[in-house]
Amino acid sequence: MYGVVTRNEPELEWAEFDRGFYEVKDVTGRAAEPVANAVNMVSCFGDNKAAADNPDLVPVSDEGEPATRDRPYFDWAYVCPTHERYREGLLEIIEDAAEVNPDVRLDDVGFPREEYCHCDRCEAAFAESDVDDWGAWRADVITEFVAEARERVPGDLSLTLYPDPYPGHIHDRAGTDPEALAEYVDEFVVPIYDMAYTTTYWLEIIARGFVDALETPFSIELYAVDVDIDNLVHATEVASEYAESVLFGYDASNARATIRRLEADARDGEQFGPQ
């Protein structure tokens, strides 16, 4: 199966796509009304606007560095997952989306990196908890949030994972524990992004790693913007060997051309009767 991830509602109707994911909240903080003909997708703890408007929301590292785009390793700003008012707002967005389409996808779920968050709120919550290990406490925070989201989603709940299948890495980096989250999640989505896909051995390595790491079905999301069609076709063929479906991010025209090429190649390869 092939799907599209888009901010443009008309693209959801294109016949080439078996599935559609529509961003109702993205990392810029832009919001849109949920739609009935797609899985509505919510960026949870990535939010440039919220972080800029309210610095109290931003996670801080053990050295006091805020998780904003000023850091060389962050493409967007983050919000601390323990901020109750923000979490409540997210859950309202998720509930509103689920009322329009019962399936929802959660994106950007987790802490920014291993060294986050050491804000006063997180330090106090950890001290008051009955968990001795900092990493385990962070994972409990994220799992609890996903469990609360699950209660508001009557259909399938999808969740984006950081693309690192090495044992323990996602848990340590973001506080996301795939084994614990599997109780609440129907599908994981692994975005394996590249600007060119001129080589794909690394894509195959990551995809195969997730086959071993996950029992829950997963899809792979490829970046489609300005990628050469031949390269995107090859990347899709590799991803299809491991994932339940392949999704294309943010360039529906390139995605459609890729799917048409794949379908044409499949027809050309058909053989009927004795040769």
Side-chain angles (χ1 to χ4, degrees):
M1 285 198 301
Y2 301 118
V4 66
V5 180
T6 184
R7 303 181 182 103
N8 301 312
E9 189 174 348
E11 295 170 353
L12 299 168
E13 300 293 341
W14 292 5
E16 289 79 7
F17 303 127
D18 305 300
R19 316 177 66 190
F21 292 83
Y22 182 69
E23 286 197 329
V24 298
K25 177 184 176 296
D26 64 25
V27 294
T28 69
R30 181 197 67 89
E33 291 297 319
V35 298
N37 61 334
V39 177
N40 292 294
M41 182 171 159
V42 180
S43 172
C44 293
F45 300 110
D47 195 320
N48 292 341
K49 186 177 187 306
D53 291 347
N54 186 356
D56 180 60
L57 294 174
V58 179
V60 294
S61 72
D62 49 355
E63 296 184 358
E65 297 176 323
T68 64
R69 289 181 292 171
D70 297 334
R71 307 272 79 76
Y73 36 73
F74 291 141
D75 293 324
W76 52 79
Y78 286 82
V79 171
C80 177
T82 66
H83 196 286
E84 284 299 327
R85 289 201 315 276
Y86 185 85
R87 280 171 61 130
E88 290 169 3
L90 278 179
L91 293 170
E92 288 179 6
I93 293 171
I94 292 165
E95 187 169 7
D96 290 345
E99 289 177 355
V100 178
N101 183 306
D103 301 336
V104 174
R105 175 176 166 188
L106 307 180
D107 202 23
D108 304 302
V109 178
F111 288 86
R113 285 168 65 99
E114 292 89 338
E115 60 269 30
Y116 293 86
C117 171
H118 287 273
C119 68
D120 292 343
R121 183 178 49 253
C122 282
E123 293 281 5
F126 174 58
E128 293 168 5
S129 74
D130 56 1
V131 180
D132 295 330
D133 180 75
W134 177 258
W137 172 79
R138 294 198 322 157
D140 285 349
V141 169
I142 299 305
T143 302
E144 178 186 304
F145 170 76
V146 175
E148 291 176 347
R150 169 80 271 179
E151 293 175 356
R152 292 158 172 82
V153 177
D156 288 345
L157 182 65
S158 303
L159 187 141
T160 307
L161 288 178
Y162 188 79
D164 186 346
Y166 194 86
H169 274 200
I170 300 177
H171 177 283
D172 294 344
R173 180 188 178 93
T176 50
D177 182 345
E179 186 174 345
L181 294 173
E183 179 180 348
Y184 309 105
V185 173
D186 299 289
E187 175 194 30
F188 290 113
V189 178
V190 181
I192 307 181
Y193 275 22
D194 186 37
M195 304 299 290
Y197 297 109
T198 50
T199 60
T200 57
Y201 70 91
W202 57 271
L203 193 161
E204 191 269 344
I205 291 169
I206 295 171
R208 185 171 181 176
F210 274 104
V211 171
D212 294 338
L214 300 176
E215 294 186 6
T216 303
F218 73 96
S219 293
I220 290 175
E221 182 176 315
L222 302 176
Y223 190 61
V225 179
D226 296 331
V227 178
D228 178 82
I229 297 299
D230 289 336
N231 293 345
L232 194 53
V233 165
H234 184 50
T236 304
E237 291 172 333
V238 173
S240 295
E241 289 295 314
Y242 299 94
E244 295 285 315
S245 62
V246 177
L247 315 177
F248 299 94
Y250 307 109
D251 190 330
S253 295
N254 243 12
R256 177 163 62 179
T258 298
I259 295 168
R260 287 177 174 175
R261 176 80 63 79
L262 286 162
E263 291 175 344
D265 290 346
R267 286 194 298 271
D268 291 343
E270 289 180 351
Q271 295 184 1
F272 302 94
Q275 300 295 316

